[in-house]
Amino acid sequence: MRLPPRIATHNPDQVFYFDTFGMQRRMDYITEVNGSTLVGHYTSRYQTFGGLLLATRRRVFRRNPDNSVNLNLPSITLDIHDVEQVRSGDEQAQP
C-alpha cells in the first residue's frame, strides 16, 4: 500500500498483514528516518477501550530482504495498559 504524503509515517510504502478475523497482525516497512532499516512490526493482544479495539502489544523486529524476521531480539517493544479517549480539539471525552 502506498500512503499519501499528508499522512506522517515511517515510509509511504507499507505492507499490511491481517488474520482471518480482519485484525492487523503485522506491518512491513522501511524506516527511512533510521538508516533505511527493514522492519516487521507485529501487533497483538487486542483489547477494547471505550468501544475502540486496539492492539495493546507491539513488537518491532529487523526484517531480512527475503521478508523473514529475526523474532529473537525486538528493536522496539510497546505494551499499552490503559487508553484515554480525547475528542478532536483536545476536549475531554465524556463517558
Side-chain angles (χ1 to χ4, degrees):
M1 165 184 280
R2 177 171 277 283
L3 299 168
R6 70 180 180 275
I7 297 177
T9 183
H10 291 93
N11 187 304
D13 293 311
Q14 298 186 22
V15 178
F16 295 87
Y17 300 86
F18 298 88
D19 66 16
T20 57
F21 300 104
M23 307 300 288
Q24 179 192 316
R25 295 298 178 179
R26 175 177 162 178
M27 300 179 280
D28 288 352
Y29 52 89
I30 299 171
T31 57
E32 293 176 339
V33 297
N34 193 22
S36 295
T37 303
L38 300 171
V39 299
H41 183 148
Y42 289 82
T43 54
S44 62
R45 297 187 181 172
Y46 280 83
Q47 293 184 30
T48 302
F49 297 94
L52 295 174
L53 191 59
L54 302 172
T56 62
R57 182 180 179 117
R58 295 178 170 269
R59 299 292 184 264
V60 179
F61 301 90
R62 286 184 176 250
R63 184 170 48 92
N64 300 311
D66 68 356
N67 283 341
S68 63
V69 176
N70 179 354
L71 298 174
N72 294 321
L73 183 62
S75 301
I76 298 171
T77 63
L78 176 66
D79 292 298
I80 299 169
H81 301 285
D82 196 19
V83 173
E84 178 184 355
Q85 293 183 18
V86 178
R87 295 182 189 271
S88 63
D90 293 330
E91 296 175 29
Q92 185 67 30
Q94 298 297 317

